[in-house]
Amino acid sequence: MRFFLTSILFFGGYVYSTAQNQKTQVTGVITSKSENLSLPGVSVVDVNEPSNGVNADFDGHYSISLKNGSTTLRFTMIGYKPVEIKVNNRTAINVAMDLDVATLEEVVVVGYGTQKKRKVTGAIDQVSSQAFEGRPSVNATQALQGKAPSLIIQQTNSEPGAGLNINIRGISTLNNNGPLIVIDGIVGGDINSLNPNDIDSVSVLKDAGSAAIYGSRANNGVVLITTKKGSKSKPMTVQYSSLVGYNNPFYFTKPVHGYENAMLRNEAAYNSDAANAVFTSAQIAELKAKGDTKWFAEEIVKPALQLNQNLSVSGGNQNSTYLVSLGYLDQESNFVGPKKGMQRYNFRINLTNEFGKFKLTSSLAYSKQKINDHSSSTGTLMVDAFRVPLYYTQKDEEGNYLTNDVLQQFNSLGILEKGGFRKYDNDDLFGALNAEFKLTSFLKVKGVFGGRLWNGSMFSRTKQVNFSPSGVYGADRDTRDETTKALDLNTQFMLEFNKSFAGVHNIGAMIGVSNENHSHRSIGLYKKFTDPDLGIPGTGTVIGDDSYNSNGTKPDKNPASSKNSLNSLFGRATYDFNDKYFAEVTFRYDGSSKFREEIRWGFFPAATVGYALTKENFMESYRDKVGNIKLKSSYGIVGNQNVRDFQYQTTYFTFPNAYGFNNSGVTGTGYTFANADIQWERAATFNVGLEADFFKGALSFSFDYFDKVTSDILIPPQVPGVFGTQLPDFNDAKLGNRGWEVSATYRHKGKVLNQSLTVNVGDSKNKVLEYSGGDEKLTGVEELQVLLREGLPYNSYVGLKRDGYFQNWEEIQGAAVPDGLSVVPGDNRYVDANKDGKIDDNDKFIFGNPFPRYTFGATYTADYKNFDLSIFIQGVGKRTMMIRGELVEPFHSNYGMTMYTHQLDYWTPQNPDARYPRLANNGTQSNTNNFRRGSDMYLYDGAYARLKNIQLGYSLPANTAEKLGMSRFRMYVSGQNLLTLSKVKFLDPELSEFNGNMSPSGGNSGRAFPTQAYYGMGLDISF
């Protein structure tokens, strides 16, 4: 930080002092001829000395020092025709620039190229770099949340370095629903290794018409990321941004007072006909007099610093451009103890060079990520801190870590402060070389070579911590060392054709071939009973049975090394007539090493059409007075090949200690059967859409409806546990998914106040159409179950349906209850669905599913004079959210011994319509009926709206910034997660109970890293 600021001040002082020695100082204002509005950012260059140039400020003002008063100034800006003016020793020159319609049009990045936005007929959303500016985003995925309709991003926790689920248009398969990521034209990069400040635009390809050119990996959509580059004929620009703030942890729930908890324990015991109270009246009085101890959950977290720093240098002449950037992120963990958290270092260099008909573009990016974590499980630490009532402490005055009758083995504070660490050190090198040669004015050939080299390591030590009066953590003193290296290589060759005929027929074509190779190798060495101080082997050290080398199998049963390759032929042909009628066809022919040679290849075609209705002569009046209307539609086939390598071959593996012989373990061999017929998943996708603008472009609107059916979905066979081995996936399921999305933007330019509002809403609903010949799959998820059945949404929740409570003994007489249970007033009453007089599995209902619907985002911006404001709101309109464990059940299974304030709404004769049943001890028939049967009591309305980010900024006036040697100086305050509106008040509604593969990872409970509210200040400076 100090280095950055020192460099800035030195450089600014140098520029300013040098400027004083120039002979001629020219100033002026640059405006647009058509609107008579000032133009910010215009490049002003001395033609005779190209290295001497400046950029106009926000109000269009510029000032440039010239050695020669008779030189010529050149004014350039994207979207406007360049202007050259002879100075003739003048000191004031105002310039009015004409629009250049040919270059003004917005360009959208598509698969293997770009298209003018007015010609795009596929379902593509483009997110600009503004989405990342001024936000304390740890990664690009986080910053994209809510920025495009049906781009669904969820998190399982807020811990530094934690992954996020990213999903486009809902569920398309029963497997991994993550989209394909393409960075600067190269498949296989990590979106979360990128510096968000380096991103120029993100294109989200949603339908087959836009995504089919990526063939067998496009079923879940495609995210195309383009990084920033320098600009032609623009002097060197230095940009520095800094954002410093604190993440303040907070919980949505609170425990009851310590003495209240004791009283509630007694009430539960009394309701359970216990012989004695848990606490005497004297003990309760003493607890009340002493007051509450600090809640363990609040004691193990603290506010944590987050630092985002970025520095870039860019520019170019008429033949080349350059951009060099540096980025640094430091996100400290909120956990107490030795410093934990994540650091990321980013370096990027992007270059373009043109030599006549030849153009060479190169990019090289390096990212280092370092994560320092504790040695335990975050879920375990959080729940252990959550479940202790407010009359215990974790540490005494002598520094001893304490256990109690709730935590009998260890406590979270001792683990965080003394229990060891896990350190991750990841290096990510990503690069691409793109060469183009124009054979003619309408034909060019292109070659691309790029790839990614990733090397990751993890070193951990579990240190022994002794607790008082009893309990030990880390007695095995584990030392674990893991290393993984992965290499992705991508080669492409393309031929492109673009030509107009008779001024109205525009034809484009592209055909290409590519090869992609992936390989990775891992090793893991695990040792127990290492030296307690140094972590090195000593007397008694043993190597763990789960250690592995690169030709073995990891503890998670995945192979430690793998290779796969994909060869492809792809192409696109476009036609439009007079910018009125549009047609496009694309295809990809993929051959994958994941399938046997005879059925290795798959063909994935798509077609789109568009109609610019307002281009018709009879719509001329509407076009001039209102705006434009474009209709579009697409249909195509895309695929999915996300399966393990070599499933078409029988594979073998070894494992230690298969059986004992001669007093020692003998290694055994296992195998996995082959499925020689395993093949692609295929999805047929239909999309129809409308684009329109009103008020002469002030309001833009788009609507899309889609219907997708994925066939031949790969599923694991259901085999009995005694079968003895695993079976490979096979193609035997079909899933339908349909939905819609709307996006609208309104811009208003006033004399002093400019405003804009962008709103997007998307919805999708899936249904299992076929599954394994009509079979169904019921999976337990803690207290509930999820069902995979034809005709239902994927992973629909299943459980008993509550019908209020038994209010008196008369209602219990003859009522349907679970077999073997006796209930009492205040217990759950369930609906007897089949009217057989008893409650069992035949009475279970199918409820909603956990996937969010009506996802939305809204961004409001305004600028007034030198002030600017940005407000971003994001949320979900409908979601069935499962919450489990201690946040639903008081004194959960004798595991948790505290109640939370939201659980005080329990049944009593005076509170008959409570949210929760009466209090009772674990193991009683009441608790077995109420909590061990699994009901809709665990399901909640997960809809929410969150003030995701707000910024308020101020920019120095142009003349003030100029005196400091800068073209721009903006300072601002930024806040994130400041307000949440939700029906669920005791848990962060944004958290998902499903992981990135859409499989249940356990319901939400008091086990997640705390939500973080961010408060920070930032600077944006340009020279």
Side-chain angles (χ1 to χ4, degrees):
M1 178 72 178
R2 183 180 301 171
F3 170 77
F4 282 153
L5 292 175
T6 304
S7 300
I8 291 164
L9 292 173
F10 174 81
F11 187 78
Y14 172 78
V15 171
Y16 180 70
S17 62
T18 303
Q20 305 312 302
N21 297 323
Q22 306 302 322
K23 294 182 180 179
T24 304
Q25 190 82 14
V26 179
T27 61
V29 180
I30 308 171
T31 59
S32 168
K33 273 187 180 179
S34 58
E35 299 176 317
N36 197 29
L37 295 175
S38 59
L39 294 178
V42 175
S43 175
V44 185
V45 178
D46 183 346
V47 172
N48 294 325
E49 192 181 354
S51 61
N52 181 26
V54 297
N55 294 321
D57 64 18
F58 284 122
D59 298 317
H61 294 277
Y62 76 93
S63 177
I64 186 170
S65 299
L66 306 173
K67 293 181 180 179
N68 185 352
S70 61
T71 189
T72 298
L73 292 178
R74 180 178 174 85
F75 301 81
T76 57
M77 184 178 182
I78 295 176
Y80 289 84
K81 295 178 180 179
V83 175
E84 290 191 2
I85 297 178
K86 193 80 170 177
V87 176
N88 292 329
N89 293 315
R90 288 177 293 174
T91 58
I93 299 177
N94 296 327
V95 180
M97 301 182 69
D98 281 321
L99 286 170
D100 187 350
V101 178
T103 60
L104 181 63
E105 293 182 273
E106 184 178 352
V107 173
V108 176
V109 177
V110 299
Y112 299 100
T114 60
Q115 286 182 352
K116 293 179 180 178
K117 186 176 181 179
R118 61 184 169 84
K119 296 178 181 287
V120 172
T121 52
I124 302 176
D125 286 320
Q126 183 152 296
V127 181
S128 71
S129 60
Q130 293 178 344
F132 308 98
E133 294 176 356
R135 293 189 58 185
S137 302
V138 175
N139 53 55
T141 303
Q142 189 182 74
L144 286 172
Q145 188 178 35
K147 291 300 183 180
S150 297
L151 179 62
I152 303 168
I153 294 171
Q154 296 177 289
Q155 58 183 15
T156 54
N157 69 74
S158 305
E159 195 169 7
L164 293 95
N165 302 341
I166 179 169
N167 175 267
I168 298 174
R169 284 186 166 180
I171 304 304
S172 298
T173 177
L174 306 183
N175 299 301
N176 189 341
N177 278 269
L180 179 69
I181 305 297
V182 182
I183 302 174
D184 287 335
I186 302 297
V187 174
D190 181 6
I191 185 174
N192 294 323
S193 290
L194 285 171
N195 178 4
N197 200 65
D198 287 341
I199 296 176
D200 184 52
S201 69
V202 177
S203 290
V204 184
L205 313 186
K206 298 180 176 181
D207 67 334
S210 59
I213 200 164
Y214 289 101
S216 63
R217 294 159 300 169
N219 187 36
N220 303 326
V222 183
V223 176
L224 305 179
I225 300 173
T226 304
T227 58
K228 295 176 181 177
K229 296 177 176 62
S231 299
K232 282 187 177 182
S233 302
K234 189 171 184 179
M236 184 178 71
T237 300
V238 180
Q239 294 180 314
Y240 168 69
S241 64
S242 173
L243 181 58
V244 183
Y246 277 88
N247 287 303
N248 295 272
F250 69 94
Y251 301 106
F252 287 79
T253 188
K254 297 289 182 183
V256 298
H257 293 295
Y259 77 90
E260 281 185 289
N261 199 76
M263 295 170 63
L264 293 165
R265 289 280 305 279
N266 281 353
E267 184 175 346
Y270 175 80
N271 290 343
S272 305
D273 296 325
N276 298 300
V278 182
F279 292 87
T280 66
S281 57
Q283 289 173 322
I284 293 174
E286 182 182 2
L287 290 176
K288 188 172 184 180
K290 286 184 176 179
D292 294 338
T293 58
K294 190 167 185 178
W295 188 26
F296 286 11
E298 292 181 340
E299 190 174 19
I300 64 172
V301 294
K302 66 184 189 312
L305 177 71
Q306 181 172 321
L307 179 64
N308 298 67
Q309 300 280 289
N310 293 283
L311 178 68
S312 68
V313 180
S314 63
N317 55 34
Q318 294 185 359
N319 297 316
S320 64
T321 68
Y322 61 89
L323 178 138
V324 180
S325 72
L326 297 171
Y328 173 69
L329 166 71
D330 185 359
Q331 183 192 20
E332 293 184 0
S333 171
N334 295 106
F335 279 137
V336 299
K339 182 178 178 181
K340 306 172 185 67
M342 180 184 71
Q343 293 178 307
R344 189 181 66 231
Y345 304 84
N346 288 93
F347 168 77
R348 172 174 294 276
I349 178 168
N350 288 348
L351 304 173
T352 63
N353 293 277
E354 295 185 21
F355 309 94
K357 296 182 179 181
F358 182 74
K359 180 180 180 180
L360 185 66
T361 303
S362 60
S363 63
L364 182 66
Y366 170 72
S367 173
K368 173 177 277 292
Q369 182 188 61
K370 303 179 75 173
I371 299 175
N372 198 355
D373 201 2
H374 54 80
S375 63
S376 183
S377 159
T378 293
T380 300
L381 294 178
M382 294 310 306
V383 73
D384 279 355
F386 253 67
R387 64 189 177 99
V388 179
L390 305 185
Y391 40 74
Y392 292 110
T393 57
Q394 297 191 85
K395 197 174 184 179
D396 63 19
E397 295 179 352
E398 297 177 357
N400 298 310
Y401 296 106
L402 307 177
T403 50
N404 50 62
D405 65 347
V406 180
L407 300 178
Q408 298 179 8
Q409 188 175 5
F410 44 71
N411 68 49
S412 303
L413 184 64
I415 296 173
L416 287 171
E417 291 187 340
K418 300 291 185 181
F421 58 84
R422 281 194 303 270
K423 293 184 178 180
Y424 300 85
D425 192 346
N426 304 325
D427 297 287
D428 195 341
L429 183 65
F430 185 91
L433 190 64
N434 185 321
E436 297 180 14
F437 184 75
K438 288 187 177 181
L439 300 173
T440 68
S441 60
F442 55 85
L443 188 65
K444 68 179 178 181
V445 64
K446 180 189 296 185
V448 179
F449 177 76
R452 178 192 182 206
L453 177 62
W454 186 85
N455 187 78
S457 66
M458 189 281 292
F459 177 72
S460 69
R461 284 190 60 198
T462 302
K463 298 182 180 181
Q464 182 171 325
V465 183
N466 297 317
F467 291 82
S468 178
S470 64
V472 177
Y473 172 79
D476 287 348
R477 301 193 305 276
D478 289 338
T479 298
R480 305 172 72 87
D481 206 342
E482 298 177 354
T483 300
T484 299
K485 179 178 288 186
L487 176 64
D488 292 276
L489 295 176
N490 186 259
T491 306
Q492 307 165 18
F493 294 99
M494 290 165 279
L495 184 66
E496 295 184 17
F497 172 89
N498 287 283
K499 191 173 179 61
S500 295
F501 298 91
V504 293
H505 301 281
N506 302 304
I507 298 176
M510 183 272 292
I511 190 166
V513 294
S514 70
N515 169 261
E516 298 172 25
N517 285 286
H518 168 81
S519 63
H520 82 263
R521 298 177 70 87
S522 302
I523 59 172
L525 180 61
Y526 307 146
K527 297 180 180 180
K528 295 180 179 297
F529 310 113
T530 56
D531 183 89
D533 297 317
L534 302 177
I536 59 177
T539 303
T541 297
V542 297
I543 297 177
D545 290 341
D546 50 355
S547 297
Y548 62 93
N549 56 26
S550 59
N551 63 348
T553 302
K554 296 193 292 186
D556 61 5
K557 307 303 181 183
N558 288 317
S561 63
S562 70
K563 290 184 178 182
N564 59 67
S565 181
L566 185 73
N567 291 324
S568 307
L569 172 69
F570 54 89
R572 172 172 50 232
T574 62
Y575 170 78
D576 76 81
F577 174 76
N578 202 27
D579 288 342
K580 184 190 302 184
Y581 308 111
F582 306 92
E584 179 178 316
V585 293
T586 59
F587 77 91
R588 191 177 185 104
Y589 190 50
D590 276 336
S592 173
S593 65
K594 292 177 180 286
F595 311 114
R596 66 181 172 91
E597 189 172 354
E598 292 78 8
I599 54 174
R600 181 162 292 171
W601 291 86
F603 184 66
F604 304 94
T608 67
V609 293
Y611 175 35
L613 176 62
T614 45
K615 285 289 186 177
E616 299 287 1
N617 292 333
F618 62 84
M619 293 291 291
E620 182 178 0
S621 177
Y622 181 92
R623 182 175 68 245
D624 294 340
K625 295 179 181 179
V626 181
N628 297 298
I629 298 175
K630 182 173 72 175
L631 306 174
K632 60 182 183 179
S633 183
S634 70
Y635 180 82
I637 308 295
V638 290
N640 181 24
Q641 62 146 11
N642 287 333
V643 296
R644 298 190 308 274
D645 295 331
F646 306 117
Q647 288 199 65
Y648 66 92
Q649 295 179 331
T650 298
T651 56
Y652 299 86
F653 57 90
T654 61
F655 55 94
N657 301 323
Y659 62 92
F661 180 77
N662 198 22
N663 294 323
S664 62
V666 179
T667 299
T669 301
Y671 59 91
T672 302
F673 282 122
N675 175 8
D677 297 323
I678 192 170
Q679 210 176 8
W680 320 94
E681 296 181 4
R682 296 174 182 270
T685 304
F686 170 75
N687 191 94
V688 62
L690 165 71
E691 294 179 7
D693 58 68
F694 306 92
F695 310 117
K696 297 183 178 181
L699 173 64
S700 59
F701 171 87
S702 68
F703 170 82
D704 280 274
Y705 169 82
F706 60 90
D707 190 349
K708 177 188 287 188
V709 176
T710 305
S711 304
D712 295 328
I713 294 177
L714 293 157
I715 60 174
Q718 299 186 53
V719 295
V722 296
F723 187 69
T725 187
Q726 295 179 341
L727 291 177
D729 295 337
F730 68 109
N731 303 90
D732 198 19
K734 181 184 289 187
L735 183 75
N737 182 44
R738 60 180 58 175
W740 55 267
E741 54 203 30
V742 173
S743 180
T745 298
Y746 179 74
R747 300 178 181 87
H748 178 266
K749 280 194 171 184
K751 293 183 178 179
V752 292
L753 177 64
N754 300 319
Q755 302 177 81
S756 73
L757 175 64
T758 298
V759 178
N760 69 76
V761 183
D763 181 40
S764 66
K765 187 175 182 180
N766 70 82
K767 180 191 293 186
V768 178
L769 303 177
E770 296 178 8
Y771 180 74
S772 192
D775 289 345
E776 60 184 47
K777 182 179 180 181
L778 194 62
T779 304
V781 183
E782 304 297 344
E783 290 88 351
L784 273 178
Q785 295 173 310
V786 291
L787 177 65
L788 203 167
R789 175 192 289 175
E790 293 178 1
L792 295 177
Y794 178 43
N795 279 343
S796 294
Y797 284 122
V798 175
L800 298 176
K801 185 175 183 179
R802 293 202 304 166
D803 185 24
Y805 305 102
F806 292 108
Q807 300 292 348
N808 50 57
W809 290 104
E810 288 76 13
E811 290 184 4
I812 296 174
Q813 299 300 319
V817 298
D819 275 345
L821 291 181
S822 299
V823 297
V824 298
D827 286 348
N828 283 340
R829 179 171 58 194
Y830 300 111
V831 175
D832 183 10
N834 61 358
K835 307 297 183 183
D836 64 353
K838 61 182 179 180
I839 300 298
D840 54 23
D841 287 347
N842 296 318
D843 298 306
K844 289 188 175 181
F845 283 75
I846 299 169
F847 303 108
N849 64 88
F851 304 105
R853 298 186 61 190
Y854 311 116
T855 57
F856 63 86
T859 303
Y860 171 78
T861 64
D863 59 83
Y864 174 78
K865 295 185 178 179
N866 294 322
F867 291 92
D868 61 87
L869 173 69
S870 173
I871 300 174
F872 172 45
I873 297 172
Q874 173 269 334
V876 170
K878 181 180 180 181
R879 176 182 164 216
T880 303
M881 181 179 189
M882 178 185 176
I883 304 176
R884 63 158 302 272
E886 51 281 332
L887 289 190
V888 177
E889 179 185 1
F891 315 125
H892 173 54
S893 296
N894 283 343
Y895 179 74
M897 284 301 173
T898 190
M899 277 183 64
Y900 306 96
T901 54
H902 69 273
Q903 294 173 333
L904 292 174
D905 185 18
Y906 61 88
W907 185 94
T908 64
Q910 296 75 32
N911 187 27
D913 298 320
R915 178 63 174 83
Y916 301 100
R918 76 185 194 121
L919 297 181
N921 283 346
N922 184 62
T924 61
Q925 301 221 3
S926 287
N927 253 39
T928 302
N929 174 77
N930 297 335
F931 297 101
R932 303 281 81 80
R933 287 293 173 260
S935 69
D936 57 348
M937 183 173 63
Y938 291 93
L939 300 178
Y940 294 77
D941 185 347
Y944 72 93
R946 170 166 283 174
L947 179 57
K948 199 67 179 179
N949 183 257
I950 183 170
Q951 292 180 47
L952 177 62
Y954 174 77
S955 299
L956 287 179
N959 56 351
T960 304
E962 183 183 334
K963 290 179 180 178
L964 296 174
M966 295 176 284
S967 59
R968 182 193 188 196
F969 183 94
R970 175 179 178 258
M971 49 190 173
Y972 61 95
V973 292
S974 178
Q976 189 144 298
N977 296 337
L978 302 186
L979 175 66
T980 302
L981 302 178
S982 171
K983 291 184 179 180
V984 178
K985 305 297 183 184
F986 58 91
L987 186 74
D988 188 345
E990 189 175 337
L991 298 179
S992 172
E993 58 266 47
F994 283 74
N995 61 23
N997 291 329
M998 299 302 163
S999 59
S1001 58
N1004 287 311
S1005 65
R1007 307 186 180 202
F1009 195 81
T1011 302
Q1012 301 175 76
Y1014 177 89
Y1015 304 90
M1017 295 187 63
L1019 292 175
D1020 289 330
I1021 305 173
S1022 298
F1023 300 96

